[in-house]
Amino acid sequence: MTFRFFSTLAAAALALPALIGVALAEETARPAGVVELFTSQGCSSCPPADALLAELAARDDIVALAYHVDYWDYLGWRDTLGSPENTARQHGYGKSFGIRSVYTPQAVINGRIHVNGSSRAKVWDAVEDLKGSGDGLAVGLTITRAGESVVIDAEAAKGEAKKAHLVVVYFEPTQPVTIERGENAGRTVTYWNAVSDIQTAGMWHGKAARFELPASEVSKKGGCAVLLQSVSKDGLPGPILGAAIIRNPGS
């Protein structure tokens, strides 16, 4: 999406009627990349990745999302932020990448490659490599408020026209969780941008387009990310072409 996404999108969020009203910030640069972390409160290897995700979520140039999966719940602790939908998204990526099994912590960068989510070097190198190779976020998005709507404007594709879904990923406010059982028993971990819902809001056909979301829905959550993502004929997630994020105050 366009601007230093976080700053402009955060400004858009602040303009929502249920939030503090302020003018939108000027558009700057689009994000460097999207980092989707698949994690679990029941995974002993995940806290370092959760800490790295928190660092990325605080940046202005990264769209960072944490998808808590549910397949480690059998170890004795039910992830309070986990869902089968998050697990299904990870398995979809696994099929897209042609890997035999998924794992935690797994970080998917721009919907194109996956790396160990606890490795700062691997995550950041992946973001930079994709950006340098032309597989970064090539389609700009801007977000503004118009009355009771959040308006998303997508640029036209540069070069050959493509198709993509407009995917809206809602996430919870930042929150600490004390884990009482399982591999991380006794630890309190603060989780950022934990995904609570994923919705497809429309289709983009390679031309400049406008989409609307109800401002009231956006204001209910900690915020949301908007992803312009290619999807296969089988419904599997593919490359992310553009992204932006809205944070609600205090999230």
Side-chain angles (χ1 to χ4, degrees):
M1 310 170 164
T2 16
F3 24 45
R4 224 168 193 225
F5 277 62
F6 279 86
S7 56
T8 305
L9 290 177
L14 291 173
L16 297 175
L19 310 176
I20 301 172
V22 293
L24 291 175
E26 292 186 3
E27 183 177 322
T28 55
R30 67 193 56 173
V34 176
V35 177
E36 297 177 274
L37 175 67
F38 293 91
T39 185
S40 172
Q41 294 168 10
C43 162
S44 61
S45 302
C46 286
D50 299 322
L52 176 57
L53 193 282
E55 293 179 24
L56 296 174
R59 295 180 62 105
D60 288 340
D61 58 348
I62 296 292
V63 174
L65 298 165
Y67 296 82
H68 287 246
V69 298
D70 61 358
Y71 50 80
W72 295 124
D73 289 359
Y74 79 94
L75 294 177
W77 176 254
R78 181 179 180 277
D79 193 311
T80 61
L81 299 167
S83 73
E85 290 77 18
N86 290 346
T87 300
R89 183 165 175 83
Q90 185 181 25
H91 281 293
Y93 272 130
K95 291 178 181 178
S96 293
F97 298 145
I99 58 177
R100 297 182 64 181
S101 61
V102 296
Y103 59 94
T104 55
Q106 180 184 35
V108 175
I109 317 300
N110 292 1
R112 294 179 181 271
I113 60 175
H114 65 98
V115 298
N116 185 327
S118 63
S119 172
R120 179 181 283 99
K122 289 182 179 179
V123 169
W124 195 249
D125 285 351
V127 171
E128 290 296 313
D129 289 349
L130 288 173
K131 184 178 179 181
S133 68
D135 289 328
L137 305 180
V139 180
L141 300 179
T142 51
I143 297 181
T144 54
R145 183 192 162 224
E148 298 179 354
S149 299
V150 173
V151 179
I152 303 157
D153 286 295
E155 293 180 349
K158 294 178 176 62
E160 183 180 353
K162 301 177 181 179
K163 293 182 181 180
H165 289 189
L166 187 80
V167 180
V168 182
V169 183
Y170 292 96
F171 54 82
E172 297 292 339
T174 302
Q175 57 186 286
V177 175
T178 299
I179 302 168
E180 299 176 2
R181 296 180 299 280
E183 293 188 346
N184 291 315
R187 303 187 67 157
T188 297
V189 181
T190 298
Y191 293 104
W192 286 63
N193 297 5
V195 171
S196 58
D197 193 18
I198 309 167
Q199 299 178 3
T200 299
M203 286 288 297
W204 176 76
H205 296 277
K207 300 179 180 179
R210 172 167 289 186
F211 306 88
E212 292 187 36
L213 300 176
S216 58
E217 288 301 308
V218 177
S219 65
K220 291 178 182 178
K221 303 290 186 177
C224 72
V226 180
L227 310 177
L228 202 61
Q229 184 164 32
S230 300
V231 177
S232 74
K233 293 180 180 179
D234 296 330
L236 300 179
I240 295 173
L241 309 179
I245 195 164
I246 299 172
R247 289 188 200 285
N248 292 340
S251 298

